[in-house]
Amino acid sequence: MMILIYTGLTKDVQLSEKIITAGISALGGFGLGYGVGRKNQ
């Protein structure tokens, strides 16, 4: 949410794209690790 506000105020699109990509990657990695961990139990 704060990223969208920052982008709206500064018009810095490239930085927001990098942050969103990093966030999605982190969530995907967490989900994958969680799924593998649950499968091994």
Side-chain angles (χ1 to χ4, degrees):
M1 182 71 174
M2 302 251 328
I3 297 166
L4 297 175
I5 294 170
Y6 174 78
T7 302
L9 293 176
T10 62
K11 305 288 191 253
D12 189 358
V13 177
Q14 288 183 337
L15 179 62
S16 65
E17 287 178 359
K18 289 179 182 178
I19 292 171
I20 290 170
T21 302
I24 291 172
S25 299
L27 288 174
F30 174 77
L32 182 64
Y34 180 77
V36 169
R38 296 278 293 173
K39 185 177 178 182
N40 288 338
Q41 287 183 353

